[in-house]
C-alpha cells in the first residue's frame, strides 16, 4: 500500500518496471552520469567506470540506446570512431535520479540502522 496516498495501491506495470530496471541499474547510472558531463568514446567510459566489464558496458550502452536515452555517433575514420552521448530524452532522467540520490543520502543513516537491527535479529536466530 502506498502510504503517501492512502487508499491508492502502488502498482508498477510490467513495461514501466522493465524500463526502470534498464535505466536504473548500477552500470546505467554510472554511464548516464558520465554522459551527462560530456560525450564519451567506449574506452573513455571503460576508464571512467573501471569496475565494469567490456561485455557489461556493451550491453548497458545497447539497452540505453534502445530506450532512446543514449545515442551513438559513428565517424567514418580508420578505425571507425564511435562516440556515445546522452539524448534530450536521456537528460530528462537527471531530475528524478537526483531526487532518488537525495532521498538515499538523507535516509541512509536510518537504512543502515535498520540493516544492523535486521542483521542482529537474523544472527540471533542462527
Amino acid at each position: 500500500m502506498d502510504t503517501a496516498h492512502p487508499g491508492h495501491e502502488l502498482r508498477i506495470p510490467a513495461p514501466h518496471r522493465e524500463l526502470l530496471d534498464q535505466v536504473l541499474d548500477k552500470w546505467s547510472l554510472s554511464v548516464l552520469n558520465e554522459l551527462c558531463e560530456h560525450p564519451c568514446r567506449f574506452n573513455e567510459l571503460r576508464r571512467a567506470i573501471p569496475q565494469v566489464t567490456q561485455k557489461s558496458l556493451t550491453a548497458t550502452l545497447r539497452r540505453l540506446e534502445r530506450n532512446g536515452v543514449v545515442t551513438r555517433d559513428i565517424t567514418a575514420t580508420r578505425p571507425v570512431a564511435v562516440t556515445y552521448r546522452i539524448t534530450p530524452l536521456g537528460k530528462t532522467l537527471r531530475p528524478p535520479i537526483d531526487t532518488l540520490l537525495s532521498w538515499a543520502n538523507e535516509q541512509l543513516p536510518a537504512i543502515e540502522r535498520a540493516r544492523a537491527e535486521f542483521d542482529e535479529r537474523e544472527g540471533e536466530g542462527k
Side-chain angles (χ1 to χ4, degrees):
M1 175 92 85
D2 181 2
T3 57
H5 300 90
H8 292 90
E9 193 176 317
L10 178 62
R11 284 182 249 155
I12 303 173
H16 294 79
R17 191 173 42 253
E18 178 185 4
L19 174 63
L20 292 173
D21 286 345
Q22 290 179 3
V23 297
L24 294 178
D25 70 13
K26 74 177 180 180
W27 299 131
S28 293
L29 288 174
S30 296
V31 167
L32 291 171
N33 186 57
E34 290 301 318
L35 295 179
C36 275
E37 298 302 318
H38 54 84
C40 293
R41 305 242 335 241
F42 186 88
N43 284 329
E44 288 178 272
L45 287 168
R46 287 279 317 269
R47 284 190 296 276
I49 314 165
Q51 306 86 348
V52 69
T53 64
Q54 182 171 338
K55 182 178 178 180
S56 291
L57 182 56
T58 298
T60 297
L61 287 165
R62 286 179 192 234
R63 270 194 318 274
L64 293 173
E65 185 179 5
R66 181 173 181 259
N67 284 300
V69 179
V70 165
T71 189
R72 219 171 16 134
D73 297 329
I74 301 171
T75 307
T77 58
R78 290 196 181 249
V80 172
V82 179
T83 304
Y84 295 91
R85 67 182 70 249
I86 195 157
T87 64
L89 176 62
K91 288 180 183 178
T92 66
L93 280 168
R94 191 65 188 229
I97 289 172
D98 285 345
T99 299
L100 284 171
L101 291 173
S102 177
W103 174 86
N105 191 44
E106 290 171 16
Q107 302 305 321
L108 194 56
I111 290 167
E112 287 174 339
R113 282 192 304 277
R115 288 174 177 171
E117 290 169 8
F118 178 88
D119 292 347
E120 188 174 309
R121 280 193 316 272
E122 290 299 304
E124 289 173 3
K126 291 183 179 179

